[in-house]
């Protein structure tokens, strides 16, 4: 499990807290983090450092992802639990945890307007691409 995969899942969960379902996803992640990091029900570690659990604070979200990754890297059982969590939650778009890689290139003599590149993009707009641009052919 890569740092990118863990960070993507944690960031997606943090970004989903605007809905009740997303809030529940974040709470389930916080519970998993407490268990994985040995803080059962506590918000602070033995040294009094708080667990970074504020989904609105980007630095805390990154810190939580890094703490989890470091632990998951050392503990295969915790990594399996995290993977099950990520596969079981759906805060809006699915939280993907994998090590896939996507490379998108626009080159040559391409003439483009708006270019949207990425992986696993879901767009539910009307005809055409987001922002009114025509879809690429």
């Amino acid at each position: 499990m890569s740092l990118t995969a863990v960070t993507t899942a944690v960031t997606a969960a943090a970004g989903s807290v605007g809905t009740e379902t997303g809030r529940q996803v974040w709470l389930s992640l916080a519970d998993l983090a407490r268990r994985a990091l040995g803080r059962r029900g506590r918000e602070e570690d033995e040294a009094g450092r708080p667990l970074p659990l504020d989904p609105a604070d980007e630095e805390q979200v990154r810190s939580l992802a890094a703490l989890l990754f470091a632990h998951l890297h050392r503990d295969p059982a915790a990594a399996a639990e995290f993977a099950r969590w990520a596969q079981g939650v759906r805060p809006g778009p699915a939280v993907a945890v994998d090590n896939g890689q996507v490379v998108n290139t626009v080159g040559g003599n391409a003439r483009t307007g708006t270019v949207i590149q990425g992986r696993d993009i879901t767009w539910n707009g009307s005809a055409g691409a987001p922002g009114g641009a025509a879809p690429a052919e």
Side-chain angles (χ1 to χ4, degrees):
M1 185 170 301
S2 71
L3 176 58
T4 301
V6 173
T7 301
T8 299
V10 172
T11 302
S16 72
V17 297
T19 66
E20 181 57 27
T21 300
R23 192 176 74 76
Q24 294 301 320
V25 167
W26 181 259
L27 291 174
S28 70
L29 175 61
D31 287 342
L32 185 148
R34 285 185 196 100
R35 286 190 310 276
L37 300 171
R39 298 183 187 186
R40 304 195 190 283
R42 298 188 329 267
E43 295 297 320
E44 297 178 348
D45 65 10
E46 294 76 22
R49 293 177 298 239
L51 190 58
L53 293 176
D54 182 355
D57 183 329
E58 290 180 28
E59 183 62 33
Q60 287 195 34
V61 171
R62 284 191 299 273
S63 293
L64 180 60
L67 283 169
L68 282 170
F69 173 73
H71 181 74
L72 301 177
H73 186 70
R74 292 186 310 268
D75 184 344
E81 181 181 4
F82 183 84
R84 283 190 301 276
W85 169 83
Q87 290 173 352
V89 298
R90 299 288 183 245
V95 176
V97 176
D98 64 24
N99 292 321
Q101 182 178 14
V102 174
V103 177
N104 295 300
T105 304
V106 176
N109 294 323
R111 292 183 171 204
T112 65
T114 302
V115 175
I116 299 173
Q117 296 181 307
R119 176 175 171 215
D120 300 329
I121 296 174
T122 301
W123 179 65
N124 295 319
S126 58
E137 295 182 19

Short mmCIF file of all heavy atoms in Angstrom, two decimals, residues 21-67:
data_model
loop_
_atom_site.label_atom_id
_atom_site.label_comp_id
_atom_site.label_asym_id
_atom_site.label_seq_id
_atom_site.Cartn_x
_atom_site.Cartn_y
_atom_site.Cartn_z
N THR A 21 -23.53 11.13 5.25
CA THR A 21 -22.80 9.91 4.91
C THR A 21 -21.30 10.15 5.01
O THR A 21 -20.56 9.34 5.57
CB THR A 21 -23.17 9.43 3.50
OG1 THR A 21 -24.57 9.18 3.45
CG2 THR A 21 -22.41 8.18 3.11
N GLY A 22 -20.83 11.27 4.49
CA GLY A 22 -19.42 11.60 4.55
C GLY A 22 -18.94 11.77 5.99
O GLY A 22 -17.82 11.37 6.33
N ARG A 23 -19.77 12.36 6.84
CA ARG A 23 -19.41 12.51 8.24
C ARG A 23 -19.24 11.14 8.89
O ARG A 23 -18.30 10.91 9.64
CB ARG A 23 -20.48 13.31 8.98
CG ARG A 23 -20.06 13.76 10.37
CD ARG A 23 -21.13 14.64 11.01
NE ARG A 23 -22.29 13.88 11.44
CZ ARG A 23 -22.31 13.10 12.53
NH1 ARG A 23 -21.26 13.00 13.29
NH2 ARG A 23 -23.40 12.45 12.85
N GLN A 24 -20.13 10.22 8.57
CA GLN A 24 -20.03 8.86 9.11
C GLN A 24 -18.76 8.16 8.60
O GLN A 24 -18.12 7.42 9.34
CB GLN A 24 -21.27 8.04 8.75
CG GLN A 24 -22.55 8.53 9.40
CD GLN A 24 -22.46 8.53 10.91
OE1 GLN A 24 -21.91 7.61 11.51
NE2 GLN A 24 -22.99 9.57 11.52
N VAL A 25 -18.41 8.41 7.35
CA VAL A 25 -17.19 7.83 6.78
C VAL A 25 -15.98 8.36 7.55
O VAL A 25 -15.09 7.60 7.93
CB VAL A 25 -17.08 8.15 5.28
CG1 VAL A 25 -15.68 7.85 4.75
CG2 VAL A 25 -18.12 7.36 4.50
N TRP A 26 -15.95 9.67 7.80
CA TRP A 26 -14.82 10.24 8.53
C TRP A 26 -14.75 9.68 9.95
O TRP A 26 -13.67 9.35 10.45
CB TRP A 26 -14.91 11.77 8.57
CG TRP A 26 -13.72 12.34 9.29
CD1 TRP A 26 -13.68 12.79 10.58
CD2 TRP A 26 -12.40 12.47 8.79
NE1 TRP A 26 -12.41 13.19 10.90
CE2 TRP A 26 -11.60 13.01 9.82
CE3 TRP A 26 -11.80 12.18 7.57
CZ2 TRP A 26 -10.24 13.27 9.66
CZ3 TRP A 26 -10.45 12.44 7.41
CH2 TRP A 26 -9.68 12.97 8.45
N LEU A 27 -15.90 9.56 10.62
CA LEU A 27 -15.92 9.01 11.97
C LEU A 27 -15.41 7.56 11.98
O LEU A 27 -14.69 7.16 12.90
CB LEU A 27 -17.32 9.09 12.58
CG LEU A 27 -17.80 10.51 12.90
CD1 LEU A 27 -19.26 10.49 13.35
CD2 LEU A 27 -16.91 11.18 13.93
N SER A 28 -15.77 6.79 10.96
CA SER A 28 -15.29 5.41 10.90
C SER A 28 -13.78 5.37 10.66
O SER A 28 -13.07 4.53 11.22
CB SER A 28 -16.04 4.59 9.84
OG SER A 28 -15.70 5.00 8.53
N LEU A 29 -13.26 6.32 9.87
CA LEU A 29 -11.82 6.41 9.66
C LEU A 29 -11.13 6.81 10.97
O LEU A 29 -10.09 6.26 11.31
CB LEU A 29 -11.48 7.42 8.56
CG LEU A 29 -9.99 7.68 8.36
CD1 LEU A 29 -9.25 6.41 7.94
CD2 LEU A 29 -9.79 8.79 7.34
N ALA A 30 -11.70 7.76 11.70
CA ALA A 30 -11.12 8.18 12.98
C ALA A 30 -11.07 7.00 13.95
O ALA A 30 -10.06 6.80 14.65
CB ALA A 30 -11.91 9.34 13.57
N ASP A 31 -12.12 6.20 14.00
CA ASP A 31 -12.12 5.01 14.87
C ASP A 31 -11.04 4.03 14.44
O ASP A 31 -10.32 3.47 15.27
CB ASP A 31 -13.49 4.32 14.84
CG ASP A 31 -14.55 5.09 15.59
OD1 ASP A 31 -14.20 5.96 16.42
OD2 ASP A 31 -15.74 4.83 15.35
N LEU A 32 -10.93 3.81 13.14
CA LEU A 32 -9.89 2.91 12.63
C LEU A 32 -8.51 3.45 13.01
O LEU A 32 -7.64 2.69 13.44
CB LEU A 32 -10.02 2.79 11.11
CG LEU A 32 -9.09 1.81 10.43
CD1 LEU A 32 -9.78 1.21 9.21
CD2 LEU A 32 -7.80 2.44 10.02
N ALA A 33 -8.30 4.76 12.87
CA ALA A 33 -7.00 5.36 13.20
C ALA A 33 -6.69 5.18 14.68
O ALA A 33 -5.56 4.85 15.04
CB ALA A 33 -6.99 6.84 12.82
N ARG A 34 -7.68 5.39 15.53
CA ARG A 34 -7.45 5.21 16.98
C ARG A 34 -7.05 3.78 17.29
O ARG A 34 -6.12 3.54 18.05
CB ARG A 34 -8.71 5.58 17.76
CG ARG A 34 -8.96 7.05 17.87
CD ARG A 34 -10.16 7.33 18.77
NE ARG A 34 -10.61 8.68 18.57
CZ ARG A 34 -11.63 9.02 17.81
NH1 ARG A 34 -12.36 8.11 17.20
NH2 ARG A 34 -11.96 10.29 17.68
N ARG A 35 -7.74 2.82 16.68
CA ARG A 35 -7.40 1.41 16.91
C ARG A 35 -6.00 1.10 16.38
O ARG A 35 -5.18 0.49 17.07
CB ARG A 35 -8.42 0.49 16.24
CG ARG A 35 -9.75 0.41 16.94
CD ARG A 35 -10.63 -0.71 16.37
NE ARG A 35 -10.75 -0.72 14.93
CZ ARG A 35 -11.62 0.01 14.23
NH1 ARG A 35 -12.44 0.83 14.85
NH2 ARG A 35 -11.67 -0.09 12.92
N ALA A 36 -5.74 1.53 15.15
CA ALA A 36 -4.45 1.22 14.52
C ALA A 36 -3.29 1.84 15.29
O ALA A 36 -2.24 1.24 15.40
CB ALA A 36 -4.45 1.71 13.07
N LEU A 37 -3.50 3.04 15.80
CA LEU A 37 -2.42 3.75 16.47
C LEU A 37 -2.42 3.54 17.98
O LEU A 37 -1.69 4.21 18.70
CB LEU A 37 -2.48 5.24 16.12
CG LEU A 37 -2.36 5.52 14.62
CD1 LEU A 37 -2.64 6.98 14.31
CD2 LEU A 37 -0.99 5.12 14.09
N GLY A 38 -3.27 2.62 18.46
CA GLY A 38 -3.28 2.26 19.87
C GLY A 38 -3.83 3.30 20.80
O GLY A 38 -3.44 3.38 21.95
N ARG A 39 -4.78 4.09 20.32
CA ARG A 39 -5.33 5.16 21.16
C ARG A 39 -6.78 4.91 21.51
O ARG A 39 -7.52 5.85 21.74
CB ARG A 39 -5.20 6.50 20.43
CG ARG A 39 -3.76 6.84 20.16
CD ARG A 39 -3.65 8.18 19.52
NE ARG A 39 -2.27 8.43 19.11
CZ ARG A 39 -1.85 9.57 18.63
NH1 ARG A 39 -2.67 10.57 18.49
NH2 ARG A 39 -0.60 9.71 18.30
N ARG A 40 -7.20 3.74 21.56
CA ARG A 40 -8.59 3.35 21.80
C ARG A 40 -9.37 4.38 22.62
O ARG A 40 -9.27 4.43 23.83
CB ARG A 40 -8.63 2.02 22.52
CG ARG A 40 -7.89 0.96 21.74
CD ARG A 40 -8.25 -0.41 22.25
NE ARG A 40 -7.39 -1.42 21.68
CZ ARG A 40 -7.50 -1.90 20.44
NH1 ARG A 40 -8.43 -1.44 19.66
NH2 ARG A 40 -6.69 -2.81 20.00
N GLY A 41 -10.13 5.20 21.92
CA GLY A 41 -10.98 6.18 22.57
C GLY A 41 -10.27 7.44 23.02
O GLY A 41 -10.91 8.39 23.44
N ARG A 42 -8.94 7.48 22.94
CA ARG A 42 -8.19 8.66 23.38
C ARG A 42 -7.84 9.53 22.17
O ARG A 42 -7.62 9.02 21.09
CB ARG A 42 -6.90 8.25 24.10
CG ARG A 42 -7.16 7.45 25.35
CD ARG A 42 -5.89 7.22 26.16
NE ARG A 42 -4.64 7.13 25.42
CZ ARG A 42 -4.09 5.99 25.00
NH1 ARG A 42 -4.69 4.85 25.22
NH2 ARG A 42 -2.94 6.01 24.36
N GLU A 43 -7.76 10.80 22.39
CA GLU A 43 -7.40 11.73 21.33
C GLU A 43 -5.91 12.07 21.36
O GLU A 43 -5.41 12.71 20.45
CB GLU A 43 -8.21 13.03 21.44
CG GLU A 43 -9.70 12.81 21.22
CD GLU A 43 -10.03 12.31 19.83
OE1 GLU A 43 -9.43 12.75 18.86
OE2 GLU A 43 -10.91 11.44 19.73
N GLU A 44 -5.19 11.66 22.41
CA GLU A 44 -3.78 12.01 22.53
C GLU A 44 -2.95 10.75 22.72
O GLU A 44 -3.43 9.76 23.28
CB GLU A 44 -3.55 12.94 23.72
CG GLU A 44 -4.26 14.27 23.57
CD GLU A 44 -4.06 15.17 24.77
OE1 GLU A 44 -3.57 14.71 25.81
OE2 GLU A 44 -4.40 16.36 24.66
N ASP A 45 -1.70 10.80 22.28
CA ASP A 45 -0.79 9.69 22.52
C ASP A 45 -0.16 9.82 23.90
O ASP A 45 -0.47 10.75 24.65
CB ASP A 45 0.27 9.56 21.42
CG ASP A 45 1.22 10.74 21.36
OD1 ASP A 45 1.22 11.59 22.27
OD2 ASP A 45 1.99 10.82 20.38
N GLU A 46 0.74 8.92 24.23
CA GLU A 46 1.36 8.92 25.55
C GLU A 46 2.13 10.21 25.84
O GLU A 46 2.29 10.61 26.98
CB GLU A 46 2.30 7.71 25.72
CG GLU A 46 1.58 6.37 25.71
CD GLU A 46 1.14 5.93 24.31
OE1 GLU A 46 1.70 6.40 23.29
OE2 GLU A 46 0.21 5.12 24.23
N ALA A 47 2.61 10.87 24.80
CA ALA A 47 3.37 12.11 24.97
C ALA A 47 2.45 13.34 24.97
O ALA A 47 2.93 14.47 25.02
CB ALA A 47 4.40 12.24 23.85
N GLY A 48 1.14 13.12 24.90
CA GLY A 48 0.19 14.23 24.92
C GLY A 48 -0.05 14.88 23.58
O GLY A 48 -0.73 15.91 23.50
N ARG A 49 0.48 14.29 22.50
CA ARG A 49 0.25 14.85 21.17
C ARG A 49 -1.13 14.44 20.68
O ARG A 49 -1.48 13.26 20.73
CB ARG A 49 1.31 14.35 20.19
CG ARG A 49 2.71 14.87 20.49
CD ARG A 49 3.70 14.28 19.51
NE ARG A 49 3.70 12.82 19.66
CZ ARG A 49 4.78 12.11 19.98
NH1 ARG A 49 5.94 12.69 20.15
NH2 ARG A 49 4.71 10.80 20.11
N PRO A 50 -1.91 15.41 20.20
CA PRO A 50 -3.25 15.08 19.73
C PRO A 50 -3.22 14.30 18.42
O PRO A 50 -2.32 14.48 17.59
CB PRO A 50 -3.92 16.43 19.55
CG PRO A 50 -2.81 17.38 19.35
CD PRO A 50 -1.62 16.83 20.11
N LEU A 51 -4.19 13.44 18.24
CA LEU A 51 -4.37 12.73 16.98
C LEU A 51 -4.97 13.72 15.99
O LEU A 51 -5.94 14.40 16.30
CB LEU A 51 -5.31 11.53 17.18
CG LEU A 51 -5.46 10.53 16.07
CD1 LEU A 51 -4.11 9.91 15.72
CD2 LEU A 51 -6.41 9.43 16.49
N PRO A 52 -4.39 13.88 14.80
CA PRO A 52 -4.88 14.88 13.84
C PRO A 52 -6.18 14.41 13.19
O PRO A 52 -6.17 13.69 12.20
CB PRO A 52 -3.73 14.99 12.83
CG PRO A 52 -3.05 13.66 12.90
CD PRO A 52 -3.21 13.18 14.32
N LEU A 53 -7.30 14.82 13.75
CA LEU A 53 -8.59 14.33 13.28
C LEU A 53 -9.54 15.42 12.78
O LEU A 53 -10.73 15.19 12.68
CB LEU A 53 -9.29 13.54 14.40
CG LEU A 53 -8.62 12.24 14.79
CD1 LEU A 53 -9.35 11.60 15.98
CD2 LEU A 53 -8.58 11.29 13.62
N ASP A 54 -9.03 16.59 12.46
CA ASP A 54 -9.90 17.66 11.95
C ASP A 54 -9.92 17.58 10.44
O ASP A 54 -8.95 17.94 9.77
CB ASP A 54 -9.39 19.02 12.41
CG ASP A 54 -10.28 20.17 11.95
OD1 ASP A 54 -11.24 19.93 11.18
OD2 ASP A 54 -10.00 21.31 12.34
N PRO A 55 -11.03 17.12 9.85
CA PRO A 55 -11.08 16.96 8.40
C PRO A 55 -11.02 18.28 7.64
O PRO A 55 -10.72 18.30 6.45
CB PRO A 55 -12.40 16.23 8.15
CG PRO A 55 -13.24 16.58 9.32
CD PRO A 55 -12.29 16.74 10.48
N ALA A 56 -11.27 19.40 8.32
CA ALA A 56 -11.24 20.71 7.67
C ALA A 56 -9.83 21.30 7.63
O ALA A 56 -9.60 22.29 6.95
CB ALA A 56 -12.18 21.68 8.38
N ASP A 57 -8.90 20.69 8.34
CA ASP A 57 -7.53 21.19 8.41
C ASP A 57 -6.64 20.33 7.51
O ASP A 57 -6.34 19.18 7.82
CB ASP A 57 -7.05 21.13 9.87
CG ASP A 57 -5.66 21.69 10.07
OD1 ASP A 57 -4.81 21.60 9.15
OD2 ASP A 57 -5.40 22.21 11.17
N GLU A 58 -6.22 20.90 6.38
CA GLU A 58 -5.44 20.13 5.39
C GLU A 58 -4.17 19.54 5.99
O GLU A 58 -3.78 18.43 5.64
CB GLU A 58 -5.11 21.01 4.19
CG GLU A 58 -6.30 21.35 3.33
CD GLU A 58 -5.94 22.21 2.15
OE1 GLU A 58 -4.78 22.13 1.66
OE2 GLU A 58 -6.80 22.97 1.70
N GLU A 59 -3.52 20.29 6.86
CA GLU A 59 -2.28 19.80 7.48
C GLU A 59 -2.58 18.57 8.35
O GLU A 59 -1.82 17.60 8.35
CB GLU A 59 -1.63 20.90 8.32
CG GLU A 59 -0.31 20.48 8.93
CD GLU A 59 0.76 20.14 7.89
OE1 GLU A 59 0.77 20.74 6.81
OE2 GLU A 59 1.58 19.25 8.17
N GLN A 60 -3.69 18.60 9.10
CA GLN A 60 -4.05 17.45 9.92
C GLN A 60 -4.41 16.24 9.06
O GLN A 60 -4.07 15.11 9.39
CB GLN A 60 -5.20 17.79 10.87
CG GLN A 60 -4.78 18.67 12.01
CD GLN A 60 -5.81 18.71 13.12
OE1 GLN A 60 -6.50 17.73 13.40
NE2 GLN A 60 -5.91 19.86 13.76
N VAL A 61 -5.08 16.49 7.94
CA VAL A 61 -5.43 15.39 7.03
C VAL A 61 -4.15 14.74 6.50
O VAL A 61 -4.02 13.51 6.50
CB VAL A 61 -6.34 15.88 5.89
CG1 VAL A 61 -6.54 14.81 4.83
CG2 VAL A 61 -7.69 16.33 6.45
N ARG A 62 -3.18 15.56 6.08
CA ARG A 62 -1.89 15.02 5.60
C ARG A 62 -1.16 14.29 6.71
O ARG A 62 -0.57 13.22 6.50
CB ARG A 62 -1.02 16.14 5.03
CG ARG A 62 -1.46 16.60 3.65
CD ARG A 62 -0.43 17.51 3.00
NE ARG A 62 -0.18 18.73 3.76
CZ ARG A 62 -0.87 19.85 3.65
NH1 ARG A 62 -1.87 19.92 2.78
NH2 ARG A 62 -0.57 20.91 4.36
N SER A 63 -1.19 14.85 7.92
CA SER A 63 -0.52 14.22 9.06
C SER A 63 -1.15 12.88 9.39
O SER A 63 -0.45 11.90 9.66
CB SER A 63 -0.58 15.12 10.29
OG SER A 63 0.19 16.28 10.10
N LEU A 64 -2.48 12.82 9.37
CA LEU A 64 -3.17 11.56 9.65
C LEU A 64 -2.80 10.51 8.60
O LEU A 64 -2.51 9.36 8.94
CB LEU A 64 -4.69 11.76 9.69
CG LEU A 64 -5.50 10.50 9.99
CD1 LEU A 64 -5.13 9.91 11.35
CD2 LEU A 64 -6.98 10.80 9.91
N ALA A 65 -2.79 10.91 7.34
CA ALA A 65 -2.41 9.98 6.28
C ALA A 65 -0.99 9.46 6.49
O ALA A 65 -0.73 8.26 6.35
CB ALA A 65 -2.54 10.65 4.91
N ALA A 66 -0.07 10.35 6.85
CA ALA A 66 1.33 9.93 7.06
C ALA A 66 1.44 8.99 8.26
O ALA A 66 2.15 7.98 8.20
CB ALA A 66 2.21 11.16 7.26
N LEU A 67 0.76 9.31 9.37
CA LEU A 67 0.78 8.44 10.55
C LEU A 67 0.23 7.06 10.21
O LEU A 67 0.81 6.03 10.58
CB LEU A 67 -0.05 9.05 11.68
CG LEU A 67 0.57 10.18 12.47
CD1 LEU A 67 -0.48 10.83 13.37
CD2 LEU A 67 1.73 9.66 13.30
#
